[in-house]
């Protein structure tokens, strides 16, 4: 079945550092790929998405490229801020629902 | 535009007691989802509704869990009786026909003592 594997956290960075959170997936067919973010005490919010191979999703300075050859969708940001501290979930869209990874906590210090 | 509303936000009960969670989706969203999120894990689908019909309830433990969406708008998820292992966050989400873009509520954190 479909599955998503994310790097374990927490990822601890200083403000303005470069961020990479790795995500790989296993799926049949050609799923859509997503990154969701969950801030403390809040629900999940869609951060970005890509619907086909080589697409790049981007939002709020975050980017991720759908790599079919490596079955990956790594999340990157060039300069993180304290306000980016949250849990980040990689997900894939199958036939009619989403399959999530376990989440990666990001902690950014001033 | 109001987001997905869930209540209560927190619930503490003793094992073997019943508990119910309520969700009101975004207006116009025909599809409603209930997810279970255990600590340190991603959300896992419990049930999906298209209007008032439960179209995917394969992961819902039907011996103790039940759900309804009688008028195709708000929904209730019930556990009876609750067990210690049910302690988790219960998330509700909704979407239009494009299930890829789901909007999540803040969740209900359940603690079973």
């Amino acid at each position: 079945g479909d599955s998503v594997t994310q790097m374990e956290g927490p990822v601890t960075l200083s403000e303005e550092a470069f961020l990479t959170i790795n995500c790989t997936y296993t799926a049949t067919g050609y799923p859509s790929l997503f990154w969701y973010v969950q801030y403390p005490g809040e629900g999940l919010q869609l951060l970005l998405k890509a619907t086909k191979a080589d697409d790049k999703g981007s939002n709020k300075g975050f980017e991720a490229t759908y790599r079919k050859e490596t079955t990956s969708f790594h999340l990157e940001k060039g300069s993180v801020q304290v306000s980016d501290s949250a849990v980040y979930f990689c997900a894939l869209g199958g036939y009619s629902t989403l399959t999530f990874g376990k989440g990666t906590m990001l902690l950014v210090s001033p | 535009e109001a987001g997905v509303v869930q209540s209560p936000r927190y619930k503490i009960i003793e094992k073997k007691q019943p508990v119910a969670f309520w969700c009101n989706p975004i207006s116009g969203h025909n599809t409603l989802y209930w997810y279970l999120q255990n600590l340190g894990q991603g959300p896992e689908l419990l049930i999906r509704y298209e209007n008032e019909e439960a179209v995917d309830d394969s992961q819902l433990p039907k011996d103790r869990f039940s759900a309804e969406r009688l008028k195709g708008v708000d929904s209730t998820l019930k556990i009876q009786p609750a067990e210690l292992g049910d302690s988790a966050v219960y998330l509700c989400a909704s979407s239009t026909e494009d299930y890829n873009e789901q909007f999540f509520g803040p969740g209900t954190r359940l603690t079973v003592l």
Side-chain angles (χ1 to χ4, degrees):
Chain A
D2 295 349
S3 67
V4 175
T5 302
Q6 292 181 233
M7 62 187 290
E8 291 195 16
V11 173
T12 305
L13 296 173
S14 298
E15 206 164 25
E16 299 183 2
F18 184 85
L19 168 71
T20 300
I21 300 179
N22 291 337
C23 170
T24 57
Y25 67 90
T26 302
T28 54
Y30 304 97
S32 296
L33 299 173
F34 308 85
W35 279 99
Y36 278 80
V37 58
Q38 187 174 32
Y39 297 102
E42 299 183 15
L44 279 75
Q45 303 173 26
L46 179 63
L47 180 60
L48 55 84
K49 66 179 181 181
T51 57
K52 61 182 187 296
D54 299 326
D55 268 3
K56 177 184 285 188
S58 61
N59 185 25
K60 300 181 181 179
F62 291 89
E63 293 183 340
T65 300
Y66 189 161
R67 300 289 188 198
K68 184 183 171 191
E69 62 276 13
T70 55
T71 61
S72 64
F73 193 55
H74 304 323
L75 182 68
E76 297 182 336
K77 187 175 186 182
S79 176
V80 294
Q81 305 300 311
V82 172
S83 57
D84 293 326
S85 297
V87 180
Y88 292 81
F89 292 91
C90 185
L92 69 83
Y95 174 66
S96 60
T97 190
L98 296 174
T99 299
F100 289 88
K102 292 185 177 181
T104 303
M105 179 178 289
L106 171 65
L107 299 171
V108 181
S109 58
Chain B
E1 178 182 296
V4 176
V5 179
Q6 290 188 248
S7 69
R9 291 293 308 276
Y10 304 92
K11 188 74 175 178
I12 301 174
I13 62 172
E14 295 190 345
K15 63 181 181 182
K16 300 185 182 180
Q17 295 300 305
V19 65
F21 315 124
W22 178 80
C23 172
N24 188 254
I26 292 173
S27 178
H29 283 192
N30 296 329
T31 306
L32 184 147
Y33 314 77
W34 283 103
Y35 287 89
L36 167 68
Q37 186 178 17
N38 285 305
L39 186 64
Q41 303 292 317
E44 299 174 6
L45 182 69
L46 288 172
I47 188 168
R48 176 171 65 95
Y49 282 93
E50 297 282 352
N51 299 302
E52 65 274 10
E53 181 182 0
V55 295
D56 184 356
D57 63 357
S58 57
Q59 301 304 310
L60 189 72
K62 298 181 183 62
D63 56 336
R64 297 184 300 109
F65 286 65
S66 64
E68 60 184 16
R69 193 184 184 199
L70 293 176
K71 296 183 179 179
V73 181
D74 57 348
S75 175
T76 301
L77 178 69
K78 298 178 181 178
I79 308 175
Q80 183 170 8
E83 297 178 353
L84 295 176
D86 295 332
S87 295
V89 176
Y90 292 82
L91 296 168
C92 180
S94 70
S95 73
T96 63
E97 292 78 14
D98 181 6
Y99 75 91
N100 281 319
E101 188 147 358
Q102 297 181 22
F103 294 81
F104 284 80
T108 297
R109 182 176 296 278
L110 173 67
T111 301
V112 182
L113 303 176

